[in-house]
Amino acid sequence: MATHEVFNQAIKGFGYNPADYPVIEESLRREGAHDRFAEVREAGALGGSEYALELGDLAEAHPPVLKTHDRYGFRIDEVTYDPAYHQLMTQATALGLHGTPWADPKPNPHLTRAAKSLVWGQVDAGHGCPISMTYAVVPALRANPELAAMCEAKLAAPTYDPKLAPIADKFSLTAGMSMTEKQGGSDVRANTTRALAQSDGTYLITGHKWFTSAPMSDFFLTLANTDAGVTCFFVPRILPDGTRNNFFLQRLKDKLGNHSNASSEVEYDNTVAWRVGDEGRGVRTIIEMVNMTRLDCTLGTANLMRIGVQQATEHASQRKAFGAALIDQPAMRNVLADLAVEAESATTVALWLAALTDRTDDPETAALRRISLSVSKYYVCKRGPVHAGEALECFGGNGYVEESRMPRLYREAPLLSVWEGSGNVAALDTLRAMAKQPETLGVFFAEVEKAAGTDARLDGAIARLKDQFNDLETAQYRARAVVGSMAKVLQGSLLVRHGHSAVADAFCASRLGDNWGDVFGTLPTGLDVGTIIDRALPKTSAV
């Protein structure tokens, strides 16, 4: 008698093209970028392939290793990665996910890059960190035109060059960011690292940084204090004469997730640097980089949601329980539809923000992007961990097993809320933006009210949101509630105007109504959950 016959297992997994997730093509079409969808689909074919997914598994299973000294005792401060990591970096740069949009002459470069990031990102989150920072560094680096002229083309080059060498000898570059110190965290004005000006125009930096990810990058933007205050600096790993800069790696962090990416502690000891922007204006300079990486945090969380709900719906379509497929069980349908609504709304707003990046030459659009990015980074990234946990639970015990890849999803989700400003920082940053530029709130309401009169539930939510700004004395105490309401109103407006009617109806009935519970799977009755689930269910192969 057979005792180990395998049946009623969801065998099929990840063998689909993530570019066929409907929201992606719909967003490109809405923004007049449908002619670039073929590029996105090509990236998705690679991102959904077993080859690429296995590279991600290998890079995650074999974390980077720090080598402070060589065999002879010379200090080298290098990180060794699994070959799979370098292959992932090679593919990501070939797809143009790093600095390419800043040099892309075609229309909609930032939106196209965002869509490609979504469909490639499921293979591995860790290597996305240096890719994201290399993308984000360009606008900040332009505060020093000479450095920008030297680096910008190499930051956009469609190649990957991991060797440590002077910038002049490299055919492509990767960039990093080094801000956080142990006593300050997000409060970078508490930093103690010092920079001393030299007669040749350089500075010497001394101090310790608590978190510096991707430490094998070619250069870093870092913050240090001069007599004028916090200032931004350009710190290369290798100096123009070929010698190693004083960039000492103390240890690598042992992290909850994001294992393929090295995050390090760095000590600067008379480290040579060049100033970027004015002295004392370092936070304002580097925030240009931070805002771009915050966009990628929002995109990354939306992608984790998409992966989770697609895997959950596919599993539920194959798994039977109590005489029927899980996907046909009413309680499970409510959970899956609720997860799908969250993923669609997050993806919609993330791609909309990327599209705004293509139009920030217009001051009003730039203001709208600034406030909407803070709002969305807070809320979308806060929703990520609970979404990942619920998607994992759809698999039952199988979801708690590493082979399902769901635990990795679960471990990645909190990082994107912590990165580039945790929840409170992001929420308070929204309030600061409105305080510094009061007109941004008007721009925000003008945008969401483009849907006025379309859905009474949205109209009511907008009216209630306006009331929340009447009590400014308690605004900081209520920051999360206010900014969360702004995020939901923005997502609701975008879905009502541009989304699928079934998804928009479910969003407004739950997120903007009074009858949504405190967990996923509490959608009210009367919604078209069948259509919502069908949009989330993968249907095509990756090839």
Side-chain angles (χ1 to χ4, degrees):
M1 178 180 178
T3 59
H4 191 65
E5 182 182 357
V6 178
F7 63 98
N8 197 26
Q9 286 284 331
I11 304 299
K12 185 182 174 186
F14 279 100
Y16 58 89
N17 191 326
D20 290 324
Y21 186 54
V23 188
I24 296 175
E25 184 175 8
E26 291 165 1
S27 295
L28 291 175
R29 189 182 298 279
R30 179 185 73 237
E31 300 294 341
H34 192 260
D35 60 326
R36 306 203 68 172
F37 182 60
E39 298 174 48
V40 178
R41 221 176 168 277
E42 184 178 352
L46 182 60
S49 69
E50 197 60 35
Y51 160 74
L53 293 166
E54 287 178 358
L55 289 179
D57 290 345
L58 286 170
E60 179 77 3
H62 301 98
V65 176
L66 173 61
K67 294 179 66 176
T68 56
H69 297 77
D70 68 11
R71 60 184 293 189
Y72 305 106
F74 292 103
R75 184 114 197 190
I76 57 173
D77 296 284
E78 294 184 7
V79 177
T80 301
Y81 296 88
D82 188 271
Y85 173 89
H86 293 297
Q87 293 180 60
L88 291 169
M89 291 290 290
T90 299
Q91 294 288 357
T93 51
L95 290 171
L97 306 185
H98 55 319
T100 298
W102 305 104
D104 187 348
K106 298 179 183 177
N108 308 107
H110 294 280
L111 175 60
T112 303
R113 180 256 178 193
K116 287 183 180 180
S117 296
L118 288 177
V119 301
W120 171 253
Q122 71 182 42
V123 301
D124 167 70
H127 81 288
C129 173
I131 292 296
S132 176
M133 291 191 295
T134 303
Y135 166 64
V137 75
V138 172
L141 192 62
R142 287 174 177 172
N144 184 319
E146 185 177 347
L147 289 173
M150 179 176 67
C151 296
E152 195 164 319
K154 295 182 179 184
L155 292 166
T159 51
Y160 172 57
D161 181 4
K163 69 178 182 292
L164 284 175
I167 288 173
D169 296 340
K170 301 262 298 187
F171 51 80
S172 66
L173 301 172
T174 56
M177 183 167 25
S178 187
M179 294 195 299
T180 308
E181 298 184 13
K182 50 185 174 289
Q183 76 282 350
S186 295
D187 182 9
V188 295
R189 297 192 186 278
N191 286 1
T192 60
T193 297
R194 295 290 301 176
L196 296 177
Q198 305 300 298
S199 59
D200 63 356
T202 65
Y203 289 73
L204 294 181
I205 295 180
T206 299
H208 182 270
K209 296 296 181 178
W210 192 233
F211 271 98
T212 298
S213 291
M216 290 296 284
S217 298
D218 294 295
F219 70 87
F220 298 82
L221 292 193
T222 192
L223 295 180
N225 282 293
T226 67
D227 290 341
V230 178
T231 303
C232 183
F233 292 95
F234 174 97
V235 178
R237 284 295 312 265
I238 306 297
L239 295 171
D241 63 3
T243 60
R244 293 178 182 241
N245 208 352
N246 294 334
F247 190 90
F248 303 124
L249 303 181
Q250 302 305 301
R251 61 171 174 164
L252 300 186
K253 301 290 192 180
D254 186 8
K255 298 173 295 184
L256 171 66
N258 209 245
H259 292 156
S260 63
N261 176 37
S263 297
S264 65
E265 293 177 30
V266 176
E267 184 173 321
Y268 298 132
D269 187 3
N270 285 327
T271 305
V272 179
W274 284 260
R275 181 165 50 84
V276 180
D278 296 331
E279 284 197 14
R281 307 285 282 178
V283 174
R284 182 170 183 173
T285 300
I286 208 167
I287 201 68
E288 294 291 334
M289 184 175 184
V290 171
N291 280 334
M292 300 307 300
T293 48
R294 283 178 175 173
L295 171 61
D296 277 4
C297 287
T298 309
L299 284 163
T301 302
N303 197 38
L304 292 179
M305 289 180 179
R306 190 268 307 164
I307 297 167
V309 72
Q310 288 197 312
Q311 291 301 288
T313 54
E314 187 166 57
H315 171 83
S317 70
Q318 299 180 58
R319 180 80 168 177
K320 292 183 178 180
F322 309 108
L326 278 177
I327 202 169
D328 294 327
Q329 304 279 8
M332 180 59 80
R333 289 176 71 76
N334 196 324
V335 170
L336 293 174
D338 213 353
L339 291 171
V341 168
E342 193 77 22
E344 281 216 29
S345 59
T347 305
T348 297
V349 74
L351 289 173
W352 175 77
L353 287 166
L356 290 185
T357 308
D358 285 313
R359 303 195 297 272
T360 50
D361 289 342
D362 171 50
E364 190 169 286
T365 301
L368 175 62
R369 181 185 179 277
R370 169 72 177 88
I371 191 170
S372 301
L373 182 54
S374 293
V375 163
S376 300
K377 196 281 177 186
Y378 162 73
Y379 185 76
V380 172
C381 295
K382 268 292 167 203
R383 298 292 294 161
V386 65
H387 191 280
E390 195 67 63
L392 181 154
E393 190 174 321
C394 291
F395 287 75
N398 286 342
Y400 205 66
V401 175
E402 290 291 342
E403 289 174 330
S404 72
R405 295 191 175 107
M406 297 303 289
R408 194 197 314 179
L409 197 76
Y410 188 70
R411 289 192 298 269
E412 290 295 340
L415 174 60
L416 295 164
S417 186
V418 172
W419 230 335
E420 308 304 16
S422 57
N424 283 351
V425 172
L428 292 171
D429 184 56
T430 304
L431 301 184
R432 279 192 295 271
M434 292 186 292
K436 289 181 179 179
Q437 294 179 288
E439 68 274 14
T440 59
L441 187 60
V443 170
F444 178 85
F445 276 116
E447 177 66 28
V448 298
E449 288 179 330
K450 289 179 180 178
T454 307
D455 189 291
R457 296 161 299 190
L458 176 60
D459 291 343
I462 294 173
R464 291 191 297 274
L465 175 61
K466 288 182 176 180
D467 289 340
Q468 292 189 56
F469 290 99
N470 292 332
D471 180 10
L472 296 180
E473 290 186 2
T474 64
Q476 288 198 19
Y477 183 80
R478 297 181 296 109
R480 288 191 177 208
V482 173
V483 176
S485 296
M486 292 176 72
K488 286 183 283 188
V489 162
L490 176 60
Q491 290 180 8
S493 178
L494 291 172
L495 288 173
V496 166
R497 285 180 282 153
H498 308 301
H500 192 282
S501 58
V503 178
D505 183 36
F507 186 95
C508 292
S510 54
R511 279 72 172 166
L512 303 182
D514 299 323
N515 52 352
W516 190 41
D518 54 0
V519 295
F520 284 104
T522 54
L523 291 175
T525 58
L527 302 173
D528 186 3
V529 297
T531 295
I532 297 169
I533 293 170
D534 188 60
R535 284 171 62 81
L537 184 64
K539 300 177 182 63
T540 59
S541 66
V543 294

